[in-house]
Amino acid sequence: MNMERIGVKEGNYHLSNYDKTYQQFDWDEVKQAFSWSRTGKVNIAYEAIDRHAENPMKTDQVALIYSSPDREETYTFSDLKQSSNQFANVLKKYGIEKGDRVFIFMPRSPEFYSAFFGILKVGAIAGPLFEAFMEQAVRDRLEDSEASMLVTTPELLERVPHKELAHLKQIVLVGEDDNKEGSFIDFHEEMNQASKSFDVEWVDLEDGMLLHYTSGSTGKPKGVYHVHHAMIQHYQTAKWVLDLHENDVYWCTADPGWVTGTSYGIFGPWLNGVTNVVVGGRFSPENWYKTLQDYEVTVWYSAPTAFRKLMSAGSQAIEPFDLSKLRHITSVGEPLNPEVIVWGLEAFKLRIHDTWWMTETGAQVICNYPAIDIKPGSMGKPVPGVVASIIDNEGNELPPNQMGNLAIKAPWPSMMRAIWKRPEKYESYFLNNWYISGDSAYYDEEGYFWFQGRLDDVINTSGERVGPFEVESKLIEHPAVAEAGVIGKPHPERGEIIKAFITLNEGYVQSDELLDDIRQFVKKGLSAHATPRELEVKDSIPKTRSGKIMRRLLKSWELGLPTGDVSTLEE
Ligand code: WTA
């Protein structure tokens, strides 16, 4: 096989002439897809759900197929319109207004989607939290956003320090809450009483709709703020890149606590009126293949870490299943290894299409389309309407084949509009009208982009972004830990794992029990995915004279690489 490029198969693709469209396309053309281009009334929830529910041809189409070990349910667009109206009425009853932040901390479930769209329908800003977050992670996000309401479950409530959060006025509990003290709003009781009709709050395209907290290399996680305008890009990229057509059954494996789970687990498919599969419960190759088979999934969006796990389970794991309906596969979150693409060709007879984007870009920006050749290892080409380039630290564009900052020309429709409450931080991402991604890359003569790595110290473990500072801060809260430096260490299946170097306080002696206790401490405080898989005790942690931990030096030591410039190292 020619591994230089993998050609396009015959097919009826939404974007069949990439180069021509790339030259001529203007985002304004997409407006026609939305009812606000005629009515002037904007709300992304209306466009994703109500618009289809009001269309006699689509109202009874299944919008959501939900499957978890103990539930299997389907909901039409009409069902989702009504249930989100009910929740919008509950929000109104309890005084939630446009611009308020309402967070959701619960596993994927039908109730999640009613709550999510209800929040958007009243013009409030939704803040989805990953269900695996522990107390510190939950606290940081609710504190910074000054959320006034939280929707959660009785099980997860234990991780919400609600008595200590001044702004958090109300908690909606989804599920039985017999043993809970305090006054909580009962989701099911309120929903039963609420009207199924609601007058959607019309907003401005530039009004806020979503806060996603994400990690950088310094400080606490930051609130990336997105606006209703983003729908233009969610809708159009879901057509071009996910190649969604009316009759597709689509499955995005990401949790809505992360941006992929909202932009492409919610908006992309539903803005296009497509049937969306949501699966709860744990990963196993068998239940994933079974999901693809049983729901006759046609388009699938997942991540390299998942493909690598499936790959290591071997092709015999696929054999019992009929995956003949599957026609298009896409990937995001970390570099897609060429060997995974080769495996995909064998296992599914399909190409796996890598897509590159970030929480901050809000939607896909550099991608492999069904209609272009894939060069394995490359993340593809910019989507039409997006200008991407490689620039140097002064903001000058570099020619092909030179590594530098991967940058996107501002603005684009789904671009973040703010970092919550931190205008100077927001400004710091831009240079000469370029948004600086924090990734390094180069592009070749044909305009394909090639990812090289992160320029900051952000760790990408199983496709999830972890800031080293958060982990270090948690580590040193443990009584035994004096100092900590945290790095990402390459790992064949997970991309990177978290490795922590620590020094111990006086009176503590290294032992397996102690190290395990420290790991459990991080796991219980932050989350499982932020827990160091490797922990190494050192006599000292290298720091600069100004006291900054030299993570780069730790990494060079770990990988046995040259240490580079260490002139700022403290004696
Ligand atoms: C990395 C996820 C290589 C990258 C949507 C980026 C990738 C960060 C790819 C954003 C890819 C994402 N190839 N690296 N196709 N996709 N990344 O904000 O470092 O969770 O900056 O958004 O993940 O992660 P985030």
Side-chain angles (χ1 to χ4, degrees):
M1 188 196 335
N2 175 9
M3 272 301 289
E4 300 279 286
R5 48 203 311 150
I6 302 171
V8 180
K9 272 210 264 179
E10 291 281 306
N12 167 27
Y13 307 118
H14 272 298
L15 183 61
S16 55
N17 193 337
Y18 172 85
D19 288 322
K20 183 154 165 277
T21 311
Y22 187 73
Q23 300 301 329
Q24 298 174 351
F25 174 77
D26 184 324
W27 290 108
D28 262 2
E29 295 170 24
V30 183
K31 288 180 183 166
Q32 301 313 318
F34 301 102
S35 56
W36 52 260
S37 67
R38 294 174 292 283
T39 62
K41 294 173 174 172
V42 174
N43 191 307
I44 192 170
Y46 178 85
E47 300 293 341
I49 302 296
D50 295 17
R51 180 165 56 102
H52 307 303
E54 287 166 16
N55 172 355
M57 303 291 286
K58 292 196 79 77
T59 187
D60 293 327
Q61 181 188 324
V62 172
L64 171 64
I65 299 176
Y66 178 73
S67 160
S68 72
D70 49 356
R71 286 171 77 178
E72 182 156 350
E73 292 160 21
T74 59
Y75 295 82
T76 63
F77 282 107
S78 171
D79 294 334
L80 289 185
K81 175 184 173 183
Q82 292 180 8
S83 63
S84 54
N85 280 351
Q86 284 172 296
F87 195 70
N89 282 314
V90 175
L91 292 169
K92 278 278 164 200
K93 174 174 164 187
Y94 287 95
I96 296 299
E97 290 178 2
K98 185 174 165 198
D100 288 348
R101 276 76 62 209
V102 179
F103 273 57
I104 317 181
F105 179 40
M106 62 190 278
R108 273 170 271 193
S109 66
E111 292 74 23
F112 178 97
Y113 299 93
S114 310
F116 186 80
F117 284 115
I119 294 166
L120 300 180
K121 281 185 173 179
V122 302
I125 298 167
L129 296 179
F130 185 44
E131 60 172 300
F133 282 149
M134 303 307 276
E135 182 172 322
Q136 183 75 47
V138 173
R139 178 200 298 270
D140 286 346
R141 288 156 177 82
L142 294 177
E143 237 165 33
D144 185 72
S145 63
E146 302 180 349
S148 51
M149 189 189 261
L150 175 72
V151 184
T152 187
T153 64
E155 297 76 37
L156 292 180
L157 186 64
E158 282 160 25
R159 305 189 209 147
V160 183
H162 53 94
K163 296 198 182 98
E164 297 154 44
L165 294 163
H167 295 272
L168 188 64
K169 298 283 182 319
Q170 303 170 103
I171 295 185
V172 181
L173 283 184
V174 184
E176 300 289 316
D177 68 330
D178 297 344
N179 304 318
K180 301 289 166 206
E181 316 160 20
S183 56
F184 299 103
I185 300 167
D186 184 318
F187 179 88
H188 291 291
E189 205 176 292
E190 294 288 343
M191 289 288 276
N192 286 338
Q193 290 166 15
S195 162
K196 289 183 176 156
S197 40
F198 181 78
D199 288 331
V200 173
E201 176 88 28
W202 303 115
V203 299
D204 191 271
L205 279 171
E206 291 299 313
D207 279 336
M209 60 123 178
L210 193 60
L211 261 184
H212 267 300
Y213 277 80
T214 189
S215 303
S217 54
T218 55
K220 298 250 183 202
K222 49 186 202 273
V224 177
Y225 175 78
H226 287 291
V227 299
H228 286 256
H229 202 157
M231 72 174 97
I232 290 183
Q233 196 162 342
H234 294 151
Y235 168 85
Q236 193 60 38
T237 52
K239 265 198 175 6
W240 283 333
V241 183
L242 304 178
D243 195 46
L244 292 181
H245 290 67
E246 286 273 323
N247 297 323
D248 276 316
V249 177
Y250 166 75
W251 180 31
C252 170
T253 59
D255 187 274
W258 312 116
V259 73
T260 308
T262 53
S263 295
Y264 296 102
I266 296 178
F267 297 125
W270 281 331
L271 287 167
N272 279 284
V274 162
T275 300
N276 195 13
V277 177
V278 172
V279 179
R282 290 198 164 270
F283 170 92
S284 80
E286 290 69 30
N287 59 30
W288 276 36
Y289 290 137
K290 192 163 165 14
T291 299
L292 292 168
Q293 168 186 271
D294 290 359
Y295 302 115
E296 306 194 331
V297 172
T298 57
V299 179
W300 182 28
Y301 200 6
S302 197
T305 188
F307 295 126
R308 287 192 295 261
K309 278 189 200 146
L310 293 173
M311 186 167 97
S312 65
S315 300
Q316 73 280 6
I318 310 182
E319 268 157 33
F321 299 95
D322 173 8
L323 307 184
S324 57
K325 289 288 194 298
L326 189 62
R327 68 170 179 82
H328 185 44
I329 311 178
T330 48
S331 169
V332 67
E334 2 152 23
L336 182 65
N337 327 62
E339 56 269 45
V340 173
I341 298 184
V342 173
W343 166 78
L345 287 172
E346 239 176 71
F348 306 111
K349 312 282 177 288
L350 294 170
R351 310 186 304 176
I352 302 178
H353 299 75
D354 191 13
T355 66
W356 180 93
W357 57 291
M358 317 174 67
T359 308
E360 293 86 341
T361 69
Q364 294 160 339
V365 284
I366 299 177
C367 300
N368 289 284
Y369 307 83
I372 63 171
D373 288 358
I374 287 177
K375 298 188 185 182
S378 157
M379 43 203 206
K381 297 188 183 190
V383 302
V386 163
V387 177
S389 193
I390 303 299
I391 65 165
D392 65 16
N393 291 339
E394 278 68 54
N396 306 306
E397 279 189 75
L398 295 175
N401 301 318
Q402 281 193 34
M403 201 168 121
N405 298 287
L406 174 56
I408 313 293
K409 190 80 170 204
W412 59 94
S414 64
M415 180 175 94
M416 63 170 172
R417 296 299 200 274
I419 298 292
W420 191 250
K421 293 197 303 197
R422 294 172 66 186
E424 54 328 306
K425 177 78 189 170
Y426 183 68
E427 287 309 316
S428 74
Y429 286 97
F430 299 92
L431 177 62
N432 288 354
N433 283 328
W434 291 102
Y435 161 73
I436 313 296
S437 67
D439 286 358
S440 67
Y442 68 88
Y443 62 92
D444 64 21
E445 280 87 359
E446 289 182 294
Y448 282 78
F449 282 74
W450 300 77
F451 176 85
Q452 300 296 291
R454 285 289 304 183
L455 286 162
D456 53 24
D457 299 326
V458 172
I459 300 162
N460 191 333
T461 177
S462 296
E464 279 161 8
R465 251 165 101 170
V466 177
F469 178 79
E470 274 177 273
V471 184
E472 288 159 1
S473 305
K474 195 79 225 169
L475 281 165
I476 59 176
E477 280 179 31
H478 190 283
V481 180
E483 288 184 317
V486 166
I487 61 164
K489 177 179 175 180
H491 183 272
E493 208 166 80
R494 296 169 189 271
E496 288 181 315
I497 55 165
I498 300 174
K499 166 136 197 184
F501 298 88
I502 54 170
T503 60
L504 294 179
N505 277 317
E506 232 157 282
Y508 288 90
V509 188
Q510 179 176 352
S511 69
D512 287 350
E513 291 75 45
L514 179 63
L515 295 188
D516 200 49
D517 189 64
I518 295 170
R519 292 181 65 251
Q520 289 304 323
F521 180 78
V522 177
K523 194 168 175 179
K524 291 208 185 90
L526 274 181
S527 72
H529 72 272
T531 306
R533 289 197 161 246
E534 291 184 15
L535 203 53
E536 186 175 326
V537 177
K538 290 244 168 224
D539 293 334
S540 67
I541 302 290
K543 287 195 290 298
T544 63
R545 286 192 201 107
S546 59
K548 281 208 187 84
I549 292 160
M550 293 187 79
R551 301 190 188 108
R552 220 150 298 215
L553 189 57
L554 287 170
K555 197 155 183 166
S556 314
W557 288 346
E558 180 65 30
L559 303 181
L561 299 171
T563 47
D565 179 14
V566 289
S567 57
T568 57
L569 186 65
E570 189 190 48
E571 288 307 311

